[in-house]
Amino acid sequence: MPSFTPNSLAPILESAISTRSSFLGRATHARIIKTFQSPLPPFLSNHLISMYSKLDLPNSAQLVLHLTPTRSVVTWTSLISGSVQNGHFSFALYHFFNMRRDNIQPNDFTFPCAFKASASLLLPFVGKQIHAIAVKFGQINDVFVGCSAFDMYSKTGLKQDAQKLFDELPERNVVTWNAYISNAVLYGRYQNAAVAFVELRRAGCEPDSTTFCVFFNACADQLYVDLGRQLHGFVIRSGFEKSVSVLNGLIDFYGKCKEVRLAEMVFGKMENRNAVSWCSMVAACEQNGEEEKACLFFVEGRKEGIEPTDYMVSSVISACAGLAGLELGRSFHALAVKACLEGDIFVGSALVDMYGKCGGIEDSEQAFHEMSERNLVTWNALIGGYAHQGHAEMAVRLFKEMTTEVVPNYVTLVCVLSACGRGGAVELGMEIFGSMRDRYKIEPGAEHYACVVDLLGRAGMVEHAYEFVQKMPIRPTIEVWGALLSACRVYRKPELGKIAADNLFELDPKDSGNHVLLSNMFAAAGRWEEATMVRQEMMDVGIKKGAGYSWLTAKNKVHVFQAKDMSHAMNTEIQAMLIKLRMEMEAAGYIPDTNYALYDLEEEEKITEVWYHSEKIALAFGLIAIPPGVPIRITKNLRICGDCHSAFKFISGIVGREIIVRDNNRFHHFQNSQCSCRDYW
């Protein structure tokens, strides 16, 4: 039988810590008891306390402590650091003060642990006491002790004390500067972070990868694009262009600053990539409207063997929401279940949002109710889903339920006001808007005012909506005037519509949609001369109406259509389906709405013009390619026209199918000859 010495057993205990094996640790402890008489050698007792503490077995650690008659600073520090490492901050402070009762002097390893526990518990008065002890024993001048004290003051909100301590530090290393910059970023003092980086360089201190990552965060949060680019150049000059963590920070910075092409460039030149690299690239694409690319990067990352993380999965699910890609979203949902991530609060919230935006409100509700934990984002996602699909009563009911559990925020009120507008609940909407400051302590913003204009406009109170706009305490935004213009279009108020349009042209002169809307409104009112004038103005300033596209997914392929599109492989079948639908609709009493068609055409030509819009062609293909009983989901890059909207209502009743259209302005769920938007979009 081999003989054991303290020096031979200690590495085994360290191995138990590194492998997180409590079984190995306990077995080694048993061998120690069998080999050595009580009391155990202090060297081994310290290792045992460290092992049990770091393996999150505090009772066993404390028992060994009680059986150790000779306790040193190493003994206590092992117990304190293990408690901090496992998040037992109260116990860490309890052990620290018990150590002082034993008249043991803390060392430069003990103090940082105690300061971290105070900061984590937000106990600045305890942190100040520990600071006093560090001063008493002359430890505060140690660079790591001073840095941890500074971090404690910063994280507990004592900014002046933190600055005073930082200024008095006799020595500052890169860790100290990193702590200063990261805390400045954490509390929104971005200018301080930039100044600190310059001071760091002047002091002759070389930044490390952490410095660059933290500073890129500062640039991203404030959209300091030029400063971030300069820092990118400095990264290359300093030899950090191959650091994976720094390059990941660069991808995140460029993504948040809407420079997704530069993010792709950095990603493409990386020699080594980790899960964070792929995750950052997926998020950068999703945040910048490149949803399809986000999905492609996710799939490519999986091919490279990258295991999905909660952030990566929630980002790609959000991308599916932007694409209205329900089936693709379902596949990522399945992957989340397989990876045991569906219970994560961020993934769950993304699922609620995705299903709501893709027209699957039942799935959205199911994802919501299956979550064991919900946050404000989760509640907002389902309320927004209800509002998006016109379920106003359900949105308001959920809002009332939510206020008993969590405090609503700015976004919540936007969602519920939008729901009131789409549900025609004028009185309730105005009551909620009026109580925002007093009841919810939320200052109304531009989005809330736009919701109220939309609410009044939908109810036909167009003049009242205009009066509301005139009395707004803030300058009306594009959304506000856009809501008023939409109301004028629906209720045939061309004079007010012209006022709204003129303000829109001033705010966004290049948007073709507003010009087309105004022109169509004049045309619908028979005011052809004014309609022509608007179209001529568009031509004079070089504004072109964007081409209309509609697309849907069938048999794992995306099919894209334009107006009068004859290029599809199944064009013959599509044309036959269009003729069949038109005959059945006319037999059911359908009359084409040509008010918005080109007014210099004959009536028959107008009917032909509106009949071959991209969304109708996409629908005809969907009826051929998608099995009966399965909803047809179409996405359109422009606003759906009045005739297509009317036709889709007829068709949903004739063929007995759910038709879901997501245009650039509204969500339309056609079923049984009705639309969820209640004919207002």
Side-chain angles (χ1 to χ4, degrees), residues 212 233-243:
F212 287 119
F234 186 70
V235 164
I236 296 170
R237 210 172 51 162
S238 303
F240 281 89
E241 73 272 19
K242 292 186 179 180
S243 168

Side-chain angles (χ1 to χ4, degrees), residues 114-131:
F115 280 127
K116 184 174 181 179
S118 303
S120 300
L121 293 170
L122 298 178
L123 296 175
F125 63 95
V126 175
K128 283 187 173 184
Q129 293 176 35
I130 297 169
H131 183 186

Side-chain angles (χ1 to χ4, degrees), residues 214-355:
V214 171
F215 199 44
F216 277 129
N217 276 339
C219 295
D221 289 343
Q222 283 299 100
L223 304 182
Y224 291 153
V225 182
D226 291 338
L227 186 59
R229 282 178 174 168
Q230 291 177 45
L231 191 62
H232 186 178
F234 186 70
V235 164
I236 296 170
R237 210 172 51 162
S238 303
F240 281 89
E241 73 272 19
K242 292 186 179 180
S243 168
V244 176
S245 60
V246 172
L247 295 179
N248 290 344
L250 256 175
I251 293 169
D252 179 68
F253 156 70
Y254 281 129
K256 287 177 178 174
C257 291
K258 304 189 182 305
E259 296 280 359
V260 70
R261 297 289 173 270
L262 293 175
E264 283 186 73
M265 181 196 73
V266 173
F267 182 83
K269 291 183 177 179
M270 290 179 73
E271 295 179 6
N272 299 301
R273 300 172 184 140
N274 58 15
V276 177
S277 313
W278 289 95
C279 192
S280 299
M281 201 60 238
V282 171
C285 292
E286 186 272 323
Q287 291 161 2
N288 289 281
E290 300 270 5
E291 290 90 356
E292 193 170 346
K293 269 190 180 177
C295 295
L296 290 173
F297 273 113
F298 182 90
V299 172
E300 192 63 32
R302 295 288 294 131
K303 288 178 182 176
E304 294 286 326
I306 300 298
E307 290 299 316
T309 63
D310 52 356
Y311 185 61
M312 194 173 182
V313 172
S314 62
S315 294
V316 78
I317 289 172
S318 295
C320 293
L323 287 170
L326 181 65
E327 298 309 318
L328 189 59
R330 286 191 197 281
S331 67
F332 290 131
H333 186 178
L335 190 146
V337 172
K338 186 177 178 181
C340 300
L341 291 171
E342 80 280 9
D344 178 83
I345 193 166
F346 300 106
V347 173
S349 298
L351 284 169
V352 173
D353 182 62
M354 183 272 293
Y355 282 124

Side-chain angles (χ1 to χ4, degrees), residues 598-615:
L598 295 174
Y599 39 83
D600 56 350
L601 300 178
E602 296 298 327
E603 188 63 25
E604 186 60 34
E605 291 178 294
K606 289 182 181 181
I607 293 171
T608 303
E609 185 77 23
V610 297
W611 187 248
Y612 288 99
H613 281 180
S614 64
E615 53 265 55

Side-chain angles (χ1 to χ4, degrees), residues 80-217:
I80 293 165
S81 66
S83 299
V84 169
Q85 185 176 306
N86 288 289
H88 305 307
F89 304 115
S90 297
F91 281 115
L93 293 177
Y94 173 75
H95 296 317
F96 179 85
F97 288 110
N98 276 343
M99 179 186 73
R100 292 296 302 122
R101 289 192 186 98
D102 267 5
N103 289 320
I104 303 295
Q105 181 177 324
N107 64 14
D108 54 344
F109 291 98
T110 322
F111 280 114
C113 295
F115 280 127
K116 184 174 181 179
S118 303
S120 300
L121 293 170
L122 298 178
L123 296 175
F125 63 95
V126 175
K128 283 187 173 184
Q129 293 176 35
I130 297 169
H131 183 186
I133 297 169
V135 171
K136 179 180 178 181
F137 292 117
Q139 292 280 359
I140 196 63
N141 290 333
D142 178 89
V143 66
F144 294 104
V145 174
C147 179
S148 57
F150 164 78
D151 194 59
M152 178 274 298
Y153 280 123
S154 297
K155 285 186 168 55
T156 53
L158 300 180
K159 299 173 187 175
Q160 291 181 345
D161 293 288
Q163 187 64 53
K164 185 173 184 292
L165 178 63
F166 183 82
D167 293 338
E168 291 174 352
L169 288 176
E171 182 187 353
R172 299 168 191 158
N173 63 5
V174 69
V175 177
T176 316
W177 285 104
N178 287 348
Y180 186 93
I181 295 170
S182 63
N183 278 293
V185 173
L186 184 64
Y187 293 101
R189 301 193 300 274
Y190 304 105
Q191 198 66 38
N192 288 12
V195 170
F197 185 84
V198 174
E199 290 296 323
L200 173 152
R201 296 291 297 129
R202 283 178 180 164
C205 191
E206 289 298 325
D208 62 9
S209 58
T210 303
T211 319
F212 287 119
C213 291
V214 171
F215 199 44
F216 277 129
N217 276 339

